[in-house]
Amino acid sequence: MDVADTAEVVETAEDNAPLAPLTTFRLGGPATRLVTATTDEEVIAAVRAADDAGTPLLVIGGGSNLVISDKGFDGTALHIATRGFRLDGTDLELAAGENWSDAVAHTVEAGLAGIECLAGIPGSAGATPIQNVGAYGQDVSATITEVVAYDRRAGETVTLTNEECAFSYRHSRFKQHPDRFVVLRVRFALEDAGGLSAPLKYAETARALGVEPGDRVPAATARETVLALRAGKGMVLDPADHDTWSAGSFFTNPILTEAEHAAFLRRVRDRLGPDAAPPAFPDGDGRVKTSAAWLIDRAGFTKGYGSGPARISTKHTLALTNRGEATTEDLLALAREVRDGVRAAFGITLVNEPVTVGVSL
Ligand SMILES: Cc1cc2nc3c(=O)[nH]c(=O)nc-3n(C[C@H](O)[C@H](O)[C@H](O)COP(=O)(O)OP(=O)(O)OC[C@H]3O[C@@H](n4cnc5c(N)ncnc54)[C@H](O)[C@@H]3O)c2cc1C
């Protein structure tokens, strides 16, 4: 790092800075200090400065998976605004601050396959490994080869292989140890299938395209179809549409053991009748993944539910939204009501997907 970098870190720091505008919920109080870093060196300098001073650190990318307390964050919020898109054949390297959805578009324009169904997911490239983002049959764990991160415990930059990232459904080593790694760069191996997509895994996408799961279509067509499906569910950011003032899915899909699933089915049929058939997807080792959206809907929380400033999206049961005037406490009250209602109806406790800062459900 040279002196110019240090100067820039100082220049882009702000005290008592509002964090709500940095989040897609538009919620949360101020940070004691907000640093915006535009190079890896600035990121590392800001992290080291906070760690040396024993100051709590909150890393923010696109703010699309964050629920921040109304009281704000007493520490340094580090906004990662680094840039870097490098495509070498089928090898892609993205700086953490790159806009994810734009990067997907560029790879599709280059005729490559592997992440085209992840179009429209808001936020930064550097956050994609954190919860192993996924949608429409793809997740980043299938294409990430390496993650370059600053390891706060070791005090150095490290390169983690895909295996070392310990990816699973909406989870990773980074989410497991949130205060250890700051992602700087993410590397992917894409596929050159002559302009075609990867085989489509998701039935809804295949149906929309009039093809069978497992088929390939032009990668650009797959991307556009996913974007259209997402937009219909309020899952593409649109500042004018309060249905997108959210964190996308607020709850993860529950994964049940065989015994839990059997008990769940009994409960569902007691409540909804013998023909009730909740979605069930095999998840290995006899486990079954069911649908959080189905549970919420059948527990009586339908689209548009709520009368206050925080409500369920009118387009998707799984998205909790800020209608414009909500506070984080309003949002959490709604989230607790939904979680407790689902538990009372079906005996399953939903777990929030977004990261909570200074609050919990
Ligand atoms: C409308 C909408 C639709 C969505 N659809 C999907 C979807 O289909 N699939 C899906 O998986 N997610 C979805 N999401 C959730 C969200 O977009 C993703 O989780 C995304 O990867 C978050 O990126 P971000 O940069 O906004 O992260 P942030 O919200 O800024 O941060 C999220 C977490 O990651 C950490 N973090 C961020 N950057 C770094 C970094 N460089 N190093 C270390 N830690 C970091 C933060 O500290 C925080 O803990 C959706 C959200 C919205 C609003």
Side-chain angles (χ1 to χ4, degrees):
M1 193 184 69
D2 61 30
V3 176
D5 286 335
T6 318
E8 207 172 335
V9 171
V10 173
E11 263 174 27
T12 54
E14 189 190 335
D15 290 337
N16 197 27
L19 294 180
L22 294 180
T23 72
T24 50
F25 269 126
R26 279 87 165 167
L27 292 177
T32 314
R33 191 167 176 76
L34 171 67
V35 174
T36 302
T38 57
T39 65
D40 288 357
E41 290 72 21
E42 288 181 12
V43 172
I44 293 168
V47 175
R48 281 195 173 139
D51 286 351
D52 288 350
T55 307
L57 181 75
L58 169 64
V59 177
I60 303 183
S64 61
N65 216 23
L66 278 175
V67 178
I68 299 173
S69 159
D70 292 317
K71 293 198 181 84
F73 181 70
D74 187 9
T76 299
L78 172 59
H79 184 210
I80 311 258
T82 54
R83 291 287 172 268
F85 176 99
R86 203 170 69 209
L87 194 54
D88 180 9
T90 52
D91 294 336
L92 171 69
E93 183 186 271
L94 298 176
E98 277 292 319
N99 177 284
W100 171 252
S101 194
D102 290 350
V104 172
H106 294 320
T107 65
V108 170
E109 275 161 30
L112 297 175
I115 53 176
E116 61 282 3
C117 293
L118 303 177
I121 298 181
S124 63
T128 60
I130 309 296
Q131 70 156 12
N132 181 20
V133 300
Y136 294 90
Q138 290 182 342
D139 62 45
V140 288
S141 70
T143 42
I144 285 180
T145 51
E146 289 177 340
V147 173
V148 180
Y150 179 72
D151 180 348
R152 296 168 66 191
R153 199 162 84 186
E156 63 184 22
T157 301
V158 294
T159 300
L160 303 173
T161 62
N162 178 298
E163 206 171 31
E164 288 169 334
C165 295
F167 290 121
S168 60
Y169 168 64
R170 296 299 164 274
H171 207 69
S172 70
R173 186 172 177 190
F174 310 106
K175 197 154 181 181
Q176 183 80 27
H177 304 287
D179 291 328
R180 178 156 178 199
F181 298 102
V182 178
V183 175
L184 301 171
R185 275 155 204 279
V186 190
R187 299 188 178 129
F188 301 81
L190 303 179
E191 185 194 359
D192 184 351
L196 294 181
S197 68
L200 296 173
K201 287 197 187 152
Y202 206 66
E204 187 185 3
T205 328
R207 225 175 11 250
L209 283 158
V211 298
E212 293 297 318
D215 286 351
R216 294 178 187 259
V217 297
T221 309
R223 174 179 167 270
E224 281 153 22
T225 303
V226 164
L227 284 175
L229 290 171
R230 293 185 67 94
K233 298 175 189 172
M235 288 292 174
V236 178
L237 291 185
D238 173 0
D241 182 357
H242 285 294
D243 279 336
T244 76
W245 290 33
S246 76
S249 303
F250 195 88
F251 296 104
T252 52
N253 289 322
I255 297 174
L256 309 174
T257 62
E258 218 169 330
E260 286 167 345
H261 186 238
F264 165 60
L265 276 185
R266 281 195 297 276
R267 201 144 173 179
V268 166
R269 288 176 182 155
D270 283 350
R271 190 180 162 94
L272 302 175
D275 297 333
F281 307 96
D283 198 64
D285 295 337
R287 288 175 312 184
V288 175
K289 190 194 280 181
T290 189
S291 159
W294 188 94
L295 290 167
I296 293 169
D297 184 78
R298 298 306 193 283
F301 304 102
T302 48
K303 288 176 191 165
Y305 177 86
S307 52
R311 294 183 212 166
I312 292 180
S313 159
T314 67
K315 302 186 185 74
H316 199 306
T317 334
L318 206 43
L320 305 190
T321 64
N322 170 9
R323 308 317 292 184
E325 303 296 327
T327 62
T328 300
E329 274 313 310
D330 294 326
L331 175 77
L332 292 173
L334 174 65
R336 290 180 191 123
E337 186 188 350
V338 170
R339 179 200 58 190
D340 296 347
V342 167
R343 185 163 50 206
F346 300 116
I348 289 180
T349 304
L350 294 177
V351 174
N352 52 294
E353 182 181 302
V355 174
T356 53
V357 179
V359 287
S360 58
L361 268 202

